Amino acid sequence: MSFDRFCQNLDICISLHRRGRICKYIYVCKLKRKEKRIFWIIQRVNFVTGFVACTLTNPIWFVKTRLQLDHRTNKISAIECMRRIYRQSGIRGFYKGIIASYIGISETVIHFVIYEAVKAWLVATRTGVSSREDDRKTLRDFIEFMAAGSFSKTIASTIAYPHEVARTRLREEGTKYRTFLQTLNTVYIEEGTKGLYRGLGTHLIRQIPNTAIIMATYEAVVYILTRHFHSTAVNATNATTQFYAEAKAKRELA
């Protein structure tokens, strides 16, 4: 091979290498955009499912709160409580405070947005993460998932907690609270900012460990199912490739 021919081939190889890098960059950008689209689609689904769940289950939570706030000596049963609510306000009575529940859906959205951001940051800052050739997870990964879930839930609950206070006040029987905004305004005027966050500590004591366990379990199930179906797909692809290779060999021998 002449020197000119060698230089020409070298230029072609460099050009192809640059094109490959450019194509890889474009692919990564498209993948990131696709992941962002999927993420926000999931958040919309979370909002819709939360809306439906709040609408269907609000009567149950309303009766539960009424029973918890009953200070009388002769306690009433859940059936008697439901009958009393229906006699006083009809079906609409079971949905008192539903606006506060709808506002509370924002807590879930905030939680998942912060959780995904913290999880991505933890993965990016891990030493040697770029050199790992597989996606196998260790105990450290799941501890990080629990920490990310706890951190994000703490922030989300703190931001959205006033809706919990307003919802509970609206569910009290025979009170001065009528609407969501009027309740928040009344509590703020009479009790200040502390009134809007009354009970936050107890709420966080329940929510933080609960969320940490849920997020770690969720990530574990996703990881196990992904590994299972990925290995099944790889085995099926290998079997198909082997079948066609054997068929080709038989044709060549024939």
Side-chain angles (χ1 to χ4, degrees):
M1 180 185 293
S2 64
F3 181 75
D4 293 338
R5 183 65 175 172
F6 173 78
C7 293
Q8 185 179 1
N9 291 339
L10 183 62
D11 290 338
I12 293 173
C13 291
I14 293 173
S15 177
L16 291 174
H17 177 68
R18 288 176 177 173
R19 288 181 186 177
R21 291 180 64 184
I22 293 172
C23 291
K24 183 179 180 181
Y25 174 76
I26 294 173
Y27 172 76
V28 170
C29 291
K30 288 183 177 179
L31 185 62
K32 288 182 178 180
R33 285 199 297 268
K34 184 178 180 181
E35 289 177 350
K36 287 182 180 179
R37 278 201 308 271
I38 293 173
F39 174 77
W40 287 112
I41 288 172
I42 291 173
Q43 298 314 310
R44 293 190 188 101
V45 172
N46 284 336
F47 184 84
V48 173
T49 53
F51 183 88
V52 174
C54 287
T55 304
L56 295 177
T57 61
N58 193 78
I60 300 173
W61 292 104
F62 185 83
V63 173
K64 172 179 171 287
T65 306
R66 276 286 177 91
L67 291 172
Q68 289 175 332
L69 296 173
D70 187 13
H71 302 293
R72 289 169 295 191
T73 305
N74 298 323
K75 302 292 184 181
I76 61 174
S77 64
I79 300 298
E80 292 174 348
C81 181
M82 293 171 64
R83 288 174 178 170
R84 178 175 296 180
I85 294 169
Y86 184 76
R87 284 198 302 267
Q88 292 176 349
S89 309
I91 297 296
R92 292 183 61 184
F94 291 97
Y95 287 93
K96 192 175 182 182
I98 188 67
I99 300 300
S101 296
Y102 291 153
I103 299 297
I105 299 172
S106 62
E107 179 181 337
T108 304
V109 176
I110 295 170
H111 162 57
F112 275 101
V113 170
I114 298 175
Y115 172 75
E116 291 295 335
V118 173
K119 188 173 73 170
W121 178 79
L122 288 172
V123 171
T125 54
R126 287 192 61 170
T127 305
V129 68
S130 59
S131 62
R132 291 176 62 178
E133 296 179 354
D134 54 25
D135 59 347
R136 283 182 292 183
K137 290 184 171 52
T138 62
L139 179 61
R140 176 178 174 179
D141 290 295
F142 292 102
I143 292 175
E144 289 179 349
F145 293 149
M146 295 179 73
S150 301
F151 176 76
S152 58
K153 190 63 176 180
T154 301
I155 295 178
S157 296
T158 303
I159 293 173
Y161 187 74
H163 91 274
E164 295 272 358
V165 175
R167 182 170 57 189
T168 303
R169 299 290 179 95
L170 285 167
R171 288 173 177 174
E172 291 182 27
E173 186 175 6
T175 60
K176 55 191 172 184
Y177 306 111
R178 297 184 302 276
T179 64
F180 176 70
L181 293 178
Q182 181 264 341
T183 301
L184 289 178
N185 186 54
T186 302
V187 172
Y188 179 74
I189 291 173
E190 295 180 352
E191 305 175 36
T193 306
K194 290 183 178 180
L196 295 175
Y197 286 92
R198 190 180 301 277
L200 176 61
T202 306
H203 181 71
L204 292 178
I205 290 173
R206 182 181 72 89
Q207 287 284 13
I208 291 175
N210 180 61
T211 304
I213 294 170
I214 288 175
M215 299 314 299
T217 305
Y218 165 77
E219 295 289 353
V221 171
V222 170
Y223 172 68
I224 292 171
L225 292 177
T226 302
R227 296 280 295 184
H228 171 72
F229 286 112
H230 176 70
S231 60
T232 303
V234 169
N235 293 334
T237 303
N238 292 337
T240 304
T241 304
Q242 184 179 1
F243 171 78
Y244 283 113
E246 291 176 355
K248 183 178 179 181
K250 289 178 181 179
R251 287 197 303 270
E252 290 177 351
L253 290 175

